Amino acid sequence: MLAPAESRRWLLIASYASVGVAVFLIVVKSVAWIYTGSASLLGSLLDSVMDSMASLVTMAAIHYSLKPADEEHRFGHGKAESLAALAQAGFILGSAILLFLYCMQKLLRPAGHAVENADIGLAVTACAIVLTIGLVLLQSYVVKLTNSTAISADRLHYKSDLLLNVSVIVALVCAQRGFGMVDVILGVLIALFISYGALRIGWDAFGMLMDRELPPEVDNAIFELAMVHSGVMGVHDLRTRRSGLRYVIQLHIEMADDMPLLHAHRIADEVEAALLGKFPGADIIIHQDPHSIVEEEAALARRVVS
């Protein structure tokens, strides 16, 4: 693992690069769409707008989520990322609806579906593919160094953009050969693709705000790390959630009844250190229970059920 200052530097480099690429592509795609009138290129433009919003959210989340807890926010500021993502999802869905309406207008236009100056669109889209590949490579390097969830999600989004840009090239080449309808059809498909992305972002943000449990493989890893310690006889009441870039972990560990409190506390600290080694920056609360009390409570619960 990198030192915190070094990790922060790489995270900021990746987030600034993401915003810079998105803004540049918005400008050049806007010019290309004005000259071509391509529905699929408009879809790619709107997706770049979506990229810029996603990248800004990522950058803001990295800045804000890393702020330490204060007197008014004792659990930190991680959920600001989810609130921003919900707003972003609404904006993205609105863009998809506008693209769909634009495609319907082109379908109903008697003049046909001609795409002008397709060479400009092809050149701009090729440039977008090259820049996106470069950005994805940089993000992959940063994810390898920092294991950042936010940058990893942003990278996944830009990987999907490569598919969109390839579809734009297909549409423009078809338009040059007189198959203008392909441009409109791909525009509709891109609108549906963007809508799916918006709904997925919104659902993930909603789940985080509702304190959805972390994936089972994460819970299993926590359980195994706790049980590795020789002083831990059992683990129960494991609860997990995510707040921004940080995991929140709560669990009870069972230890020998006659263990001194000082020794039990030291074991809890060692388990916490092991969990932090696997999940850096996590907010961890560990409660210590006598093993016999846990067994008695379990037996009583079984009798009540029977």
Side-chain angles (χ1 to χ4, degrees):
M1 293 292 294
L2 294 177
E6 188 70 7
S7 297
R8 179 180 177 84
R9 185 174 74 87
W10 278 109
L11 288 173
L12 291 176
I13 289 174
S15 61
Y16 290 150
S18 179
V19 172
V21 169
V23 171
F24 176 77
L25 292 179
I26 287 173
V27 174
V28 296
K29 287 181 181 181
S30 296
V31 174
W33 174 64
I34 291 173
Y35 277 98
T36 63
S38 166
S40 58
L41 188 55
L42 175 61
S44 181
L45 168 61
L46 291 176
D47 189 66
S48 292
V49 173
M50 179 173 67
D51 291 344
S52 67
M53 295 298 295
S55 299
L56 285 170
V57 167
T58 300
M59 185 170 64
I62 289 173
H63 278 282
Y64 198 71
S65 296
L66 292 177
K67 290 179 62 176
D70 53 37
E71 291 186 359
E72 295 183 348
H73 306 91
R74 294 298 181 93
F75 293 95
H77 305 80
K79 287 192 175 182
E81 178 184 353
S82 302
L83 292 172
L86 279 178
Q88 176 193 359
F91 177 82
I92 294 169
L93 191 59
S95 299
I97 292 173
L98 288 176
L99 173 60
F100 181 79
L101 294 175
Y102 177 81
C103 292
M104 293 300 100
Q105 181 185 18
K106 293 199 72 172
L107 282 173
L108 298 174
R109 184 185 301 169
H113 316 286
V115 174
E116 301 175 352
N117 302 311
D119 289 339
I120 296 176
L122 288 171
V124 167
T125 305
C127 175
I129 291 175
V130 172
L131 285 175
T132 303
I133 290 175
L135 178 61
V136 168
L137 291 175
L138 172 62
Q139 290 174 326
S140 298
Y141 179 69
V142 173
V143 169
K144 183 179 180 180
L145 290 177
T146 66
N147 198 30
S148 167
T149 304
I151 298 298
S152 180
D154 206 34
R155 177 186 59 175
L156 179 63
H157 185 74
Y158 278 100
K159 283 182 177 180
S160 68
D161 290 349
L162 293 174
L163 176 62
L164 288 179
N165 287 321
V166 170
S167 70
V168 171
I169 289 180
V170 172
L172 292 173
V173 170
C174 290
Q176 283 183 319
R177 286 159 174 73
F179 300 101
M181 179 66 74
V182 174
D183 175 60
V184 179
I185 293 174
L186 286 178
V188 172
L189 293 177
I190 292 173
L192 294 175
F193 181 83
I194 294 175
S195 299
Y196 169 76
L199 293 174
R200 186 176 63 177
I201 291 171
W203 179 251
D204 288 344
F206 178 76
M208 192 179 298
L209 289 171
M210 294 299 295
D211 293 334
R212 182 172 55 205
E213 189 80 5
L214 293 176
E217 57 269 21
V218 176
D219 286 357
N220 292 336
I222 294 171
F223 180 84
E224 291 173 1
L225 281 171
M227 289 299 297
V228 163
H229 198 290
S230 58
V232 176
M233 304 175 67
V235 175
H236 65 278
D237 287 350
L238 171 61
R239 297 191 296 173
T240 61
R241 64 184 177 90
R242 180 180 166 186
S243 179
L245 303 177
R246 183 179 59 180
Y247 285 174
V248 178
I249 302 170
Q250 299 179 11
L251 69 155
H252 291 221
I253 58 176
E254 305 161 21
M255 291 174 284
D257 296 5
D258 57 352
M259 181 178 293
L261 177 60
L262 184 62
H263 191 188
H265 181 76
R266 185 180 300 114
I267 290 175
D269 284 344
E270 291 171 355
V271 171
E272 181 179 354
L275 292 174
L276 286 173
K278 178 69 174 180
F279 308 106
D283 186 345
I284 302 172
I285 298 177
I286 300 177
H287 180 79
Q288 302 112 42
D289 283 329
H291 184 62
S292 64
I293 297 297
V294 176
E295 288 188 331
E296 290 175 6
E297 291 176 349
L300 177 61
R302 287 193 295 269
R303 287 198 297 269
V304 171
V305 171
S306 60

